[in-house]
């Protein structure tokens, strides 16, 4: 056994407690305090049995009042709320994808943004029947971007990327009438259907929620992922570090946070500028350290090796170190609490998007035309803020782990080709992975995704589940905040395979392919990579997606985006396991559909179990059931 050692959740918590002591000295608020103030939560809201979509109410369903003023019963109310929750998530991720499309449209040979993966651009163009021969790469980029933008509002047809799915899955989508049309149409249709006086039938509302989710996963999110690769490079294996110890006390510390890589890429570019580094030294620092929080962190980690400071519930901690000169944010999952918190320290809280403006922040509007200028100004402002540190408040927990990241679909195929060179399609084959599953070396795989949620002991659900699954020879693919939990614990260090938490089969596969047992696939929009991986396994193996010994899991989910993601994962045929109850249990009909009924439609459904150990057992049982059904 090697000297490698995991970082425990208890160590995470001890580090946080020490930081909260600093916060208490300056009167800082924290999410831990706010959770206590908000507890207990409203049971009407949690069950989905409260309706406020018109001003006749709000209406709450009880035994005394079984219908709202319009006559809608609890099943219609819960169904409408679930659909609206999905629409919010689909809109959010898809709007991210739209911004990436616009950025691709603005590329030029001498501009702020360039095409870094022309081969992938050409592949997408050919997939969309766009002529590539003899075209300037930037003319092609603009044509592909414009075609992508049309996916949001085209009047006819379905999403172009649906053709990437295996034939069986496409047939299901057509048969069940959930194949998504224009992305904006599905979001708009969802809001229309759930308006007062429209749909109140649970089956119709849930079916539209699945279609809206698919418009995200196989539409907006997939374009966000694919075009980010074209712009910033398709991720390859990259070594980095994770946890708060990546911040450097002697350096100017800039933390990037949010989801859109357009901003963070530019910040990283200028933080590496020799002129800026010289300026930092002039101001008394030894250099500049950029680290990340949330999915922006995942984006720059897998393309640049930028260290990951933390995930969603760690965002306040980077400020509590007293060593953060600037936390620079774009969109999504940003605490408005960062404004008042930063005022307790010297930190600059810089917002950059008109979509995510917050009180007590410095707003520097970021766009593709002024991106270089904006990024340079932000880096310079952070450097100049270094001298304003309050030394008595500085404490960086000395804990960090090595992590191998950057396992895009293309990189996974490249790694598998290192085991056996057997071409099946343009990129390669997933058959070495399939063969490992058939032989029993691997029992199966779990795609673990999602957020942190104070309803679950933060990060514990992710990490304990991962350890349980690895012990049972189940390999993991991760994205979003779950990926950062794994990295911070040390589960993305290749050395972890030589500990007793990893089964012999997983160890053997990891040694052969030279990979960690937990594969970092990217940010939360990059769950679309997982759908491509699952679909291609189905194509290469002859199985359907629902037959693959694979399940999805979001043990700590919390956002509207997570509901949209869950809907497109189950609609693709992947059973999905949750550790937090959706706001749907107030209706036996909606709850019954989500946890079983939709299986008749899409061959997969949700399972909810708040006991995390039992959740792991249920996933293992399901994987073994699939193996038995396949006769392997």
């Amino acid at each position: 056994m090697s000297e490698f050692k995991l970082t425990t959740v208890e160590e995470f918590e001890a580090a946080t407690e020490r930081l909260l002591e600093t916060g208490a000295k300056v009167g800082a608020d924290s999410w831990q305090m706010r959770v206590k103030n908000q507890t207990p939560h409203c049971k009407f809201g949690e069950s989905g049995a409260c309706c406020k979509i018109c001003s006749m109410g709000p209406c709450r369903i009880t035994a005394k009042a079984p219908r709202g003023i319009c006559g809608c019963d609890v099943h219609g109310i819960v169904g409408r709320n679930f659909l609206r929750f999905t629409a919010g998530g689909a809109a959010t991720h898809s709007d991210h994808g739209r911004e990436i499309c616009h950025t691709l449209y603005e590329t030029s040979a001498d501009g702020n943004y360039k095409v870094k993966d022309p081969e992938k651009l050409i592949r997408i163009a050919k997939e969309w029947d766009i002529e590539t021969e003899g075209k300037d790469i930037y003319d092609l980029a603009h044509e592909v971007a414009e075609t992508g933008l049309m996916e949001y509002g085209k009047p006819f047809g379905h999403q172009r990327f649906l053709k990437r799915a295996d034939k069986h899955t496409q047939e299901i989508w057509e048969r069940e009438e959930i194949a998504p049309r224009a992305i904006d149409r599905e979001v708009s249709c969802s809001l229309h259907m759930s308006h007062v006086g429209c749909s109140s039938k649970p089956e119709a509302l849930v079916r539209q929620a699945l279609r809206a989710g698919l418009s995200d996963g196989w539409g907006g999110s997939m374009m966000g992922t694919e075009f980010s690769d074209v712009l910033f490079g398709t991720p390859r294996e990259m070594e980095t570090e994770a946890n708060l110890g990546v911040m450097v006390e002697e350096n100017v510390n800039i933390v990037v946070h949010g989801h859109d890589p357009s901003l963070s890429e530019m910040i990283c570019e200028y933080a590496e500028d020799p002129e800026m580094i010289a300026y930092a030294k002039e101001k008394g620092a030894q250099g500049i350290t950029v680290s990340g929080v949330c999915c922006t962190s995942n984006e720059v980690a897998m393309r640049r090796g930028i260290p990951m400071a933390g995930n969603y519930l760690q965002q306040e901690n980077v400020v509590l170190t007293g060593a953060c000169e600037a936390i620079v944010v774009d969109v999504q999952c940003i605490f408005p609490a960062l404004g008042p918190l930063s005022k307790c320290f010297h930190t600059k809280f810089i917002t950059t998007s008109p979509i995510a403006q917050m009180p007590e922040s410095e707003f520097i509007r970021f766009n593709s035309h002024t991106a270089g200028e904006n990024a340079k100004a932000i880096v310079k402002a952070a450097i100049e803020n270094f001298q304003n540190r309050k030394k008595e408040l500085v404490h960086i927990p000395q804990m960090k782990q090595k992590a191998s990241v950057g396992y895009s679909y293309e990189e996974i195929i490249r790694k598998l080709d290192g085991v056996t060179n057997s071409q099946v399609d343009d990129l390669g084959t997933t058959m070495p992975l399939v063969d490992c599953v058939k032989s029993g070396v691997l029992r199966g795989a779990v795609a673990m995704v999602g957020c942190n949620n104070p309803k679950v002991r933060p990060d514990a659900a992710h990490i304990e589940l991962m350890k349980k699954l690895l012990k049972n020879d189940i390999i993991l693919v991760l994205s979003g905040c779950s990926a950062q939990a794994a990295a911070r614990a040390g589960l993305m260090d290749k050395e972890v395979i030589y500990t007793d938490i990893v089964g012999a089969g997983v160890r053997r596969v990891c040694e052969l392919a030279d990979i960690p047992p937990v594969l970092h696939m990217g940010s939360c929009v990059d769950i679309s990579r997982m759908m491509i991986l699952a679909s291609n396994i189905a194509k290469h193996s002859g199985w359907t997606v629902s037959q693959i010994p694979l399940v999805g899991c979001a043990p700590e989910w919390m956002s509207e985006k997570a509901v949209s993601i869950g809907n497109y994962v189950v609609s693709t045929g992947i059973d999905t396991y949750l550790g937090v109850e959706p706001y749907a249990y107030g209706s036996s009909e909606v709850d019954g559909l989500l946890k079983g009924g939709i299986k008749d439609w899409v061959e997969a459904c949700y399972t909810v179990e708040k006991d995390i150990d039992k959740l792991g057992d249920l996933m293992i049982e399901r994987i073994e059931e699939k193996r038995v059904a396949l006769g392997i």
Side-chain angles (χ1 to χ4, degrees), residues 433-451:
L433 187 60
V434 173
D435 290 339
C436 285
V437 172
K438 284 182 176 179
S439 68
V441 174
L442 291 178
R443 305 306 296 173
V446 169
M448 193 176 296
V449 304
C451 331

Side-chain angles (χ1 to χ4, degrees), residues 151 154 156-159 162 178-186 189 208 211 215:
E151 292 292 278
K154 63 186 183 183
F156 306 108
H158 295 103
Q159 292 296 289
L162 299 187
I178 58 171
R181 302 156 296 183
I183 297 164
D184 288 350
R185 182 177 182 184
E186 299 306 352
C189 181
Q208 177 58 24
R211 185 156 62 174
S215 76

Side-chain angles (χ1 to χ4, degrees), residues 354-429:
I355 288 171
Q357 299 184 59
M358 297 183 188
E360 299 187 73
S361 68
E362 183 178 336
F363 181 54
I364 299 177
R365 186 166 186 153
F366 197 84
N367 65 64
S368 58
H369 297 292
T370 61
E373 177 187 329
N374 296 149
K376 187 172 183 178
I378 289 169
V379 173
K380 189 175 181 182
I383 291 168
E384 291 168 349
N385 197 27
F386 180 77
Q387 61 194 9
N388 296 322
R389 269 193 196 177
K390 299 169 185 175
K391 292 183 179 179
E392 69 277 10
L393 298 179
V394 174
H395 170 73
I396 300 173
Q398 292 307 298
M399 52 198 305
K400 62 182 176 180
Q401 291 278 10
K402 293 179 182 177
S404 294
V405 300
Y407 296 97
S408 59
Y409 173 74
E410 291 85 347
E411 182 65 358
I412 289 173
I413 293 300
R414 191 180 75 84
K415 285 288 188 177
L416 293 176
D417 278 347
V419 179
T420 174
N421 187 11
S422 177
Q423 198 80 8
V424 170
D425 57 28
D426 289 344
L427 291 173
T429 179

Side-chain angles (χ1 to χ4, degrees), residues 96 100 223-233 261 299 303:
H96 170 167
I100 297 296
M223 284 194 286
T225 292
E226 296 292 82
F227 294 161
S228 289
D229 287 354
V230 170
L231 282 161
F232 310 120
E299 296 278 5
R303 293 192 176 93

Side-chain angles (χ1 to χ4, degrees), residues 228-286:
S228 289
D229 287 354
V230 170
L231 282 161
F232 310 120
T234 300
R236 300 285 294 268
E237 184 180 80
M238 184 79 66
E239 297 302 317
T240 188
E241 294 179 317
N243 223 328
L244 288 169
V246 303
M247 298 175 72
V248 180
E249 186 170 343
E250 298 76 22
N251 286 1
V252 172
N253 283 290
I254 301 171
V255 177
V256 291
H257 174 21
H259 286 75
D260 187 340
S262 304
L263 165 68
S264 51
E265 281 285 331
M266 280 306 206
I267 297 292
C268 294
E269 197 78 32
Y270 279 88
E272 295 170 0
D273 187 334
E275 179 189 338
M276 291 290 100
I277 294 170
Y279 190 46
K281 291 179 178 178
E282 182 186 319
K283 292 295 182 181
Q286 291 186 11

